Every structure is written in C-alpha cells, then in structure tokens.
Amino acid sequence: MKKFNYTTQGVCSTNISFNIDDGRIYNVKFDGGCMGNLQAISKLVEGKSAEEIADILRGNDCRGKGTSCADQLAKAIDEALIINKKVA
C-alpha cells in the first residue's frame, strides 16, 4: 500500500492524504475544509477504484472557484496514478 500526500490549490482544504493499493483508494484524509462533507467523501470512496473515483469527482466546482475539494482529490488521484505507473 502506497501513501500519497497532495497539497491542494484554490480550496479551503490545504492537504489531502490517501493510500492506493491494487488500484483502490483507502484512508482519505483532508486537512481543513468543510469537515462534514469531506468526511462523507472519504467514506464514500473507501475501497473504490481510484480511476473511477477520479472520473466521478473531476470537474466539481465550489462557489465558482473553478475547483473544489472533490476536484482536488481527483487531481491528487490522477497524479498518484501517474507516479504509480512510473514506479511499476
């Protein structure tokens, strides 16, 4: 299981950490942001396909910011998957 950290941009949450194991997402944690919503996202994505989660969350917008914490998670997953493929 590989752990990833992602520094967010343009949202209330400042960092996202998570694990990827066999293409699935585990232990998603957001630092800052709307805790109730972000805890719900973390529970909903637990054990799900990383690619599927990124596809679902990519492009979500929060208050016209052009991004959201969910969109930032998608970007973090995309980056982690690229790194994972380079290492493999």
Side-chain angles (χ1 to χ4, degrees), residues 40-73:
I41 289 172
S42 297
K43 289 178 181 180
L44 289 168
V45 304
E46 184 72 15
K48 304 284 192 291
S49 161
E51 289 182 14
E52 182 181 353
I53 293 304
D55 288 344
I56 290 169
L57 299 179
R58 190 178 299 109
N60 275 307
D61 182 64
C62 179
R63 299 179 186 175
K65 294 179 183 179
T67 190
S68 67
C69 291
D71 181 59
Q72 291 291 298
L73 176 56

Side-chain angles (χ1 to χ4, degrees), residues 25-47:
I25 298 292
Y26 299 95
N27 305 316
V28 176
K29 303 281 187 237
F30 291 85
D31 294 333
C34 303
M35 235 355 91
N37 290 332
L38 298 178
Q39 287 174 351
I41 289 172
S42 297
K43 289 178 181 180
L44 289 168
V45 304
E46 184 72 15

Side-chain angles (χ1 to χ4, degrees), residues 3-8 15-18 29 31 76 79-80 83:
K3 183 170 179 126
F4 293 92
N5 285 298
Y6 182 81
T7 302
T8 60
N15 188 69
I16 304 169
S17 63
F18 58 93
K29 303 281 187 237
D31 294 333
E79 190 175 289
I83 291 168

